[in-house]
Amino acid sequence: DAASYDVIHVNWHPIAFNTYGPGHFPAGTLLSVYLNDIPPWSGCPFHDRADVRFAAEPSPGCIVLPYPVADWITLPQVDPVFSVGCSTVRGDGVAIVAGICAAKNWDFHIPDRSTGWLTYEQEVQRIARNTVNVLWYFEGRGKSGGLSQAVSAQRPVVCSDSPMFSHFDDAADEIYFAEGDTLEVKLQQVYEAYENNTLRRPRQARARHSWTRATQQMVAAWEAARS
């Protein structure tokens, strides 16, 4: 029944979803796509067929829409003791975080894969219990969806200087970016702020990058294309 819709929107990734070509979509229906990877790294087979294209970073013919922050999730109470967490699949930088926490005798929390995968909402609720969450990446390709997830949890966030986080440069007053410091120095700053009850949380970042605002942008782009 694809032809009966006003808009078909595809969340495209070259690894998870790369089997559809231009001929799979009915003529006359507006086709929209979110590109989770862009040239020169990969190319969407139906890029030129799409009427509206979104991407997390600048790419020819695309509307820039960084990965939005989930703003519908009910958040739990925070741990009563100082705790550090990571939310990760690739594991980039996690060993460094774990080593510092072991040396400082801080609680360290990572996903427990032995119990199965959590939903997005469950993972946000898991990391929302931490005093602070860390994304200490060394990779530089693309933009981080993990940072949007950490902001969703509304706990202090520490980030490395990776360009994967540049879409949140407008939140430098709320997110603890490395700014040339080591992770140990940055976490010590967070711990002292915790002791003094002066922790920064990404509240305005959540509002500026929320799913509510993102969906409004998407609908406006579809309406413009249809007209």
Side-chain angles (χ1 to χ4, degrees):
D1 64 347
S4 66
Y5 288 87
D6 296 315
V7 179
I8 297 173
H9 179 68
V10 181
N11 188 37
W12 176 82
H13 191 283
I15 296 175
F17 193 89
N18 205 35
T19 57
Y20 279 64
H24 287 97
F25 302 99
T29 299
L30 189 145
L31 178 61
S32 169
V33 61
Y34 192 104
L35 302 175
N36 286 278
D37 202 36
I38 59 173
W41 311 109
S42 65
C44 176
F46 54 90
H47 179 282
D48 294 340
R49 162 65 180 87
D51 303 288
V52 180
R53 307 178 199 92
F54 301 95
E57 56 188 316
S59 185
C62 294
I63 298 168
V64 177
L65 182 64
Y67 298 114
V69 174
D71 55 357
W72 64 85
I73 302 172
T74 302
L75 302 176
Q77 293 293 315
V78 182
D79 288 344
V81 298
F82 186 81
S83 58
V84 182
C86 291
S87 179
T88 179
V89 175
R90 293 178 292 116
D92 195 11
V94 172
I96 296 174
V97 186
I100 293 171
C101 289
K104 299 279 190 179
N105 199 29
W106 292 333
D107 284 5
F108 177 54
H109 302 149
I110 56 174
D112 181 4
R113 299 303 185 204
S114 68
T115 60
W117 288 90
L118 300 178
T119 66
Y120 191 91
E121 289 82 359
Q122 288 171 334
E123 178 64 2
V124 168
Q125 290 171 332
R126 185 190 69 81
I127 63 175
R129 296 184 176 92
N130 300 322
T131 307
V132 57
N133 291 299
V134 180
L135 294 88
W136 204 255
Y137 294 179
F138 294 93
E139 295 184 18
R141 171 179 171 177
K143 298 302 170 191
S144 169
L147 180 51
S148 299
Q149 189 175 45
V151 171
S152 298
Q154 285 294 278
R155 299 303 305 153
V157 186
V158 173
C159 294
S160 65
D161 289 327
S162 169
M164 293 181 72
F165 305 129
S166 65
H167 52 307
F168 276 89
D169 282 348
D170 62 351
D173 59 335
E174 293 187 326
I175 294 173
Y176 293 89
F177 287 108
E179 297 179 325
D181 289 335
T182 65
L183 177 56
E184 184 172 4
V185 168
K186 218 67 191 177
L187 280 176
Q188 185 62 37
Q189 291 176 4
V190 172
Y191 181 75
E192 291 171 3
Y194 165 78
E195 293 277 87
N196 297 325
N197 198 30
T198 57
L199 283 170
R200 303 198 309 258
R201 292 202 278 163
R203 299 184 186 278
Q204 294 304 313
R206 177 183 185 269
R208 285 195 297 267
H209 295 269
S210 70
W211 258 104
T212 299
R213 293 189 65 176
T215 52
Q216 292 168 351
Q217 289 178 261
M218 295 178 79
V219 171
W222 297 336
E223 289 177 341
R226 290 186 67 200
S227 63

